[in-house]
């Protein structure tokens, strides 16, 4: 298992993280934890052009559905990421 500090240093042992926030399910707290400990692994940081793609679709990462995030980053990036929803 990777050491806790490895979460902050993307590399060969880390995967991008795709987080889908569901309203009223604790997603804001989880997003805060991810921002503090794994910001560089979040899809919007790994694929910065995807944030603009989401804006053009009228959305943003914080509340974008899984299907919109997939469209924004592409199939290959989405499949290679660790994805979860809360």
């Amino acid at each position: 298992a990777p050491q806790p500090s490895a979460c902050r240093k993307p590399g060969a042992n880390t995967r991008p993280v795709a987080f889908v926030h569901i309203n009223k399910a604790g997603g804001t707290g989880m997003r805060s934890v991810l921002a503090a400990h794994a910001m560089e692994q979040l899809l919007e940081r790994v694929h910065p052009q995807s944030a603009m793609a989401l804006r053009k679709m009228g959305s943003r990462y914080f509340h974008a559905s899984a299907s919109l995030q997939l469209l924004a980053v592409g199939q290959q990036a989405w499949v290679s990421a660790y994805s979860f929803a809360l």
Side-chain angles (χ1 to χ4, degrees), residues 27-86:
T28 301
M30 177 55 72
R31 177 80 171 108
S32 296
V33 170
L34 289 170
H37 299 285
M39 178 60 85
E40 297 305 316
Q41 287 175 246
L42 292 174
L43 274 183
E44 62 257 41
R45 293 299 280 262
V46 176
H47 300 281
Q49 75 285 358
S50 61
M52 182 165 294
L54 279 172
R55 282 193 294 275
K56 288 180 181 178
M57 291 183 248
S59 190
R60 58 192 177 112
Y61 266 98
F62 189 71
H63 285 124
S65 66
S67 60
L68 281 179
Q69 288 187 37
L70 185 150
L71 285 173
V73 298
Q75 180 77 23
Q76 183 176 359
W78 180 263
V79 170
S80 69
Y82 174 77
S83 58
F84 71 104
L86 177 69

